[in-house]
Amino acid sequence: MHVIDSHTGGEPTRVILDGGPDLGAGPLAERARRLATDHRTFCRAVVGEPRGQVAMVCALLIEPVDPDCVTGVIYFDAGAVLGMCGHGTIGLAATLVHMGRIGPGRHRIETPVGVVGIDIHDANTVTVTNVESRRLRAGVSVEVPGLGTITGDIAFGGNGFFLVDPSPIPVNAANIRALADATIAVRAALAAEGIGCGDCPVDHVIFYGPPETPEGHSRNFVLCPDDAYDRSPCGTGSSARLACLASDGKLAEGEEILQESVIGSTYRLSWRKGPTGGVIPSITGQAFVMAESRLLFPPEDPFRAGIAP
Ligand code: PYC
């Protein structure tokens, strides 16, 4: 299996160029469901240890339905098949440039939640124009063991998010373990109360704190479905955040902000009005290709399917 690894603001993406399962034809959302239900072993083998790494997201390239798209892609981590992935799309774009498949300018990529745009500024710098994002509910409170009442917004940015601002725990690198434990507890409390995000689960939780740089708008900690935290500021999470800021009248259309991740990597963010009342997010970040490899799965390797959770 031929793969190319990159990172976007520290968050790894593994693009799978060949050797993936046959997902048949039809809309990408259907093929993504097939990947999630019928191919969990494949996903775990490629994304998880020992061949993958904690926090890795895989980008499985597939034939798009829309012939104007450079490729179709389904993203997954060790916990779930994702609707979209912002850092993954920046990593995929840098990978396609590295391969000579695309050059500077605007291109389209098809994902299970719709077509997204990419603007290639240079070999590493990419702007993603995401699918229309929206806040579904504001000020939702849940009782969380050990934390008390936690209040946040439910928003869609390509995945389902619960966004808490301000964070009950200072958002900094020294608190990563405590932040992970707290966000996992919040997600469990939401699930126990049956709180979802339209058709998708709320499988990502974000806590916000003050920025650590003068240019920053805020610093975030993002819990992903696999219980790892996003090293980047999270593209789909930033899209959900833009929808909330726009709904609250806290960020004007076209105004740009700098979002910091918990490790200090950054995205530049802005939004414009979407066709159905949401926002069309614009996310600019940088990715770097790290490795090109062939993954081998010899039958005699007892861990060829990854390490079972
Ligand atoms: O950047 O959208 C994102 C993302 C989702 C999960 C990890 N990164």
Side-chain angles (χ1 to χ4, degrees), residues 142-150 181-182 185-186 188-189:
V142 278
E143 289 307 312
V144 183
L147 290 175
T149 306
I150 299 290
D181 289 345
V186 168

Side-chain angles (χ1 to χ4, degrees), residues 11 55 57 77 82 84-88 157 159 161 204 222 224-225 230 232-238 267:
E11 179 78 352
V57 170
D77 71 9
L82 306 173
M84 218 312 261
C85 181
H87 95 265
N159 296 300
F161 286 85
H204 296 69
V222 184
C224 298
D230 197 332
S232 84
C234 190
T236 51
S238 294
Y267 286 159

Side-chain angles (χ1 to χ4, degrees), residues 14 44-54 56 295-297 301-308:
R14 169 165 285 172
R44 200 176 70 219
V46 185
V47 79
E49 293 179 22
R51 288 167 179 77
Q53 57 164 291
V54 171
M56 180 171 264
L295 300 184
L296 306 176
F297 300 90
D301 177 357
F303 291 107
R304 67 186 172 282
I307 298 171

